Amino acid sequence: MSTRAALRTFFGTGHPGLAVRDVGMRLSVDSAPAALPDIAAALMHEHGCGFATLVVEEDATGFVARYFFYARDDATLIEMVTHAPPGTELPAISDRVHAADWHEREVEDLFGIRFSGHPFLGDFVLHDQVWPEGITPMRREFDASVRVAQPGLGEDWRPRRLLEEEGSIAFPVGPIWADYNEAGLWLLETPGEQIYASQTRLFYKYRGVEKIAEGRSPAGGLLLAERFSGCAAFAHAWAYCEALERIAGCKLPPRARALRTVFAELERIRYHAATIAELAGATSLAVGKSMSQEIEERMLCLSAQVCGHRFLFGLCVPGGLAWDPATATLATLRAGVTDAAKEFAKLERLFVHTSSYLDRIEEMGTLKPDVATLYGVVGPVARASGRSVDLRRSLPYGAYADHPPEVPCEIEGDAYARLRVYFAEIRASTSLIQALLGELPDGPVAAECAAAPGTALAWVEAPAGGTFHWLRIDDDGLIRRWRIAPPGFRNWHAFHRALEGAAFQDFHIIMASFGLSVAESDR
């Protein structure tokens, strides 16, 4: 029996009161709030589903909460829908599905919906002592055009301590520190030299991208989609456009599907090159960092030469691509990727034969497979910890249905395993680009895609992992609600577990090995 059939049986016999609708590749289930935790736990632990995202929006009666899961073996989405009148609470599912923890905390901060049973609500996106009490910026009543009166700079804020041992200290790293361009605070707690516990505190630069998008045209939303996380601009632009295309019923031409896949893999190669460079720099391997950065710069120049922009801005549009690269340009891309692959192979050999480098990353920042599963981590971080989840295979899109990529997987879960996954993914991306360019279909690269009212969930396996974009377009053709669930939001949640037992001086090495963006979460 397929997972989809098993789920229909589960909803029909195990929960006869549920209303189940079969909508294409999605099972949509209306549920009473009280049933959510048990159903979510069954989906995760009995049917092997992955948690995708939590979407909340206001309607005339209060709030609608949509919990999305997906079956990893037969491309099935599960949408659990429940309603919450104003002033009521929803039961937390995070004690049964820990991957939902940060999602519930975010909703509580931005919408004011409380989740009964959740132990750590508040002081998450909207930092205490900085944002006034009672502010809910994602509510309809909130006017984003009016500056919020800030009560202070947070100078009186004190962290919640985890260690109770006598003599233990909380050592802060951030929110601003040398050689790091983003703002985040990491509190490392210890009674000595090893990190026993830590906390990650983000959202110092919360920008309200989802709120800013409300009332804008789809074209205005696209500008936000590819700019809130420039290092993964094409991936988020693709997910956003895919949502628009699903709403409009737009079918992409074969050439557009293939080229989108090519450019997504080009972005993955460049992203991993930057991560490899950061990891080399974190271990003071200056020559290795310079060599990695040189390859990264070559990939950026190649992107600009082929696509018109170093970070692929403006390329992905609803219906396909903004332009069709000439045959000679695609030949340049193919040759450039081949040359880069040779340089990556040379670089990898140098790294694995440098004992001083391996001494710094082996058994460093280990994220055990059971912990990776508990937190639902995604992308290379997950695949280095034995969790081979990849949306290009689980929920195929673009040209991945016909060209499923090789998904490398390691089990050690340390920084060295993550490094091996980065190099393996670069090889797989190179092979996929060559295969797609070798059999690229003729025809247009865009189809007509007029804005239409409706909702859709779309997804892309971004370089750091799976991202989900949920979109509602109203009757006027404008954005009413947009929900972004980026991979960094999932992986930062688990980051503190990789720090446990590490020495203070190894913190920046472990961080570099995760290859995460703070800005992507501070959307």
Side-chain angles (χ1 to χ4, degrees):
M1 180 183 294
S2 68
T3 301
R4 190 184 187 91
L7 287 169
R8 289 197 62 83
T9 301
F10 165 72
F11 289 127
T13 60
H15 301 274
L18 297 178
V20 182
R21 301 182 301 279
D22 202 325
V23 187
M25 66 182 299
R26 184 175 89 250
L27 293 177
S28 185
V29 183
D30 290 327
S31 170
L36 286 173
D38 287 341
I39 296 174
L43 289 174
M44 289 285 291
H45 308 304
E46 296 176 20
H47 297 278
C49 295
F51 176 71
T53 189
L54 167 59
V55 178
V56 170
E57 60 176 339
E58 283 188 272
D59 65 7
T61 62
F63 301 99
V64 180
R66 306 174 191 274
Y67 298 77
F68 285 95
F69 296 80
Y70 62 98
R72 292 194 289 263
D73 59 354
D74 65 355
T76 297
L77 283 167
I78 304 96
E79 177 191 29
M80 298 294 302
V81 183
T82 195
H83 296 263
T88 62
E89 295 186 350
L90 288 174
I93 69 168
S94 50
D95 61 336
R96 315 285 293 277
V97 180
H98 193 57
D101 174 24
W102 274 24
H103 295 256
E104 292 178 339
R105 293 183 66 185
E106 183 185 52
V107 167
E108 193 273 340
D109 255 13
L110 302 185
F111 284 90
I113 301 175
R114 294 194 64 82
F115 292 86
S116 58
H118 198 297
F120 299 125
L121 295 178
D123 191 24
F124 186 57
V125 176
L126 308 181
H127 292 176
D128 290 353
Q129 309 300 324
V130 176
W131 287 80
E133 288 294 324
I135 291 291
T136 49
M138 287 303 297
R139 296 283 299 274
R140 293 288 177 198
E141 63 194 29
F142 181 84
D143 186 354
S145 66
V146 178
R147 180 182 293 273
V148 175
Q150 295 182 329
L153 299 176
E155 63 269 20
D156 297 328
W157 175 80
R158 295 293 181 269
R160 172 175 51 86
R161 295 289 297 275
L162 300 177
L163 286 187
E164 301 293 339
E165 290 187 49
E166 184 178 353
S168 64
I169 63 169
F171 185 86
V173 179
I176 303 299
W177 50 296
D179 199 32
Y180 195 66
N181 295 325
E182 300 187 271
L185 175 63
W186 292 269
L187 291 158
L188 314 179
E189 296 192 51
T190 179
E193 295 182 355
Q194 285 187 313
I195 302 169
Y196 276 29
S198 67
Q199 303 173 57
T200 299
R201 182 175 167 89
L202 306 180
F203 308 107
Y204 284 89
K205 297 180 180 179
Y206 168 62
R207 292 162 287 171
V209 169
E210 295 171 8
K211 184 68 176 182
I212 293 170
E214 292 180 358
R216 294 201 176 193
S217 68
L222 179 56
L223 288 176
L224 294 171
E226 64 182 7
R227 282 165 173 78
F228 79 89
S229 177
C231 57
F234 190 83
H236 289 293
W238 188 352
Y240 175 84
C241 289
E242 184 93 5
L244 285 172
E245 290 153 5
R246 289 177 184 274
I247 294 171
C250 173
K251 185 176 178 60
L252 264 65
R255 186 175 178 86
R257 293 172 62 244
L259 283 175
R260 272 190 182 180
T261 306
V262 166
F263 298 136
E265 296 305 311
L266 178 63
E267 181 176 70
R268 193 180 317 279
I269 293 172
R270 189 262 306 153
Y271 189 104
H272 288 349
T275 302
I276 292 167
E278 287 299 314
L279 184 52
T283 59
S284 299
L285 196 64
V287 174
K289 180 179 181 179
S290 296
M291 293 174 66
S292 304
Q293 288 177 324
E294 181 182 3
I295 302 175
E296 178 196 3
E297 178 61 24
R298 288 171 57 182
M299 300 309 297
L300 286 167
C301 291
L302 183 63
S303 297
Q305 184 178 0
V306 174
C307 305
H309 196 284
R310 288 162 63 86
F311 291 93
L312 308 182
F313 286 179
L315 180 58
C316 193
V317 296
L321 297 173
W323 61 85
D324 187 357
T327 301
T329 303
L330 293 176
T332 298
L333 172 61
R334 194 169 186 179
V337 169
T338 300
D339 291 342
K342 296 175 183 176
E343 295 301 314
F344 278 119
K346 184 190 303 182
L347 186 65
E348 184 177 15
R349 289 194 297 270
L350 291 173
F351 280 155
V352 300
H353 288 100
T354 303
S355 59
S356 60
Y357 178 65
L358 296 183
D359 287 343
R360 298 301 306 278
I361 64 173
E362 283 189 292
E363 300 182 3
M364 180 63 62
T366 299
L367 195 68
K368 297 180 180 178
D370 60 331
V371 176
T373 299
L374 174 67
Y375 283 81
V377 298
V378 294
V381 174
R383 295 189 275 273
S385 296
R387 181 175 157 82
S388 60
V389 58
D390 190 313
L391 297 182
R392 295 173 295 174
R393 281 184 169 271
S394 299
L395 299 170
Y397 58 95
Y400 294 116
D402 300 320
H403 296 82
E406 179 183 347
V407 179
C409 190
E410 305 286 346
I411 61 172
E412 292 85 356
D414 60 359
Y416 185 33
R418 290 189 279 276
L419 178 70
R420 297 199 303 274
V421 168
Y422 294 134
F423 276 116
E425 290 202 358
I426 288 171
R427 290 193 295 272
S429 295
T430 300
S431 297
L432 186 53
I433 289 173
Q434 300 289 13
L436 288 168
L437 291 180
E439 54 185 59
L440 193 62
D442 295 327
V445 294
E448 185 67 27
C449 188
T455 65
L457 179 73
W459 53 89
V460 163
E461 183 70 20
T467 182
F468 291 87
H469 288 229
W470 189 89
L471 191 62
R472 177 182 293 278
I473 302 297
D474 63 20
D475 291 338
D476 295 326
L478 303 177
I479 298 171
R480 182 171 179 83
R481 175 76 171 101
W482 178 25
R483 161 66 173 159
I484 310 163
F489 192 73
R490 302 287 292 268
N491 290 350
W492 279 124
H493 184 206
F495 176 68
H496 71 283
R497 296 297 302 270
L499 297 177
E500 295 172 358
F504 273 90
Q505 63 267 26
D506 294 327
F507 165 80
H508 62 301
I509 299 175
I510 300 169
M511 173 180 277
S513 74
F514 265 63
L516 299 180
S517 165
V518 173
E520 195 175 55
S521 294
D522 288 9
R523 61 204 184 284

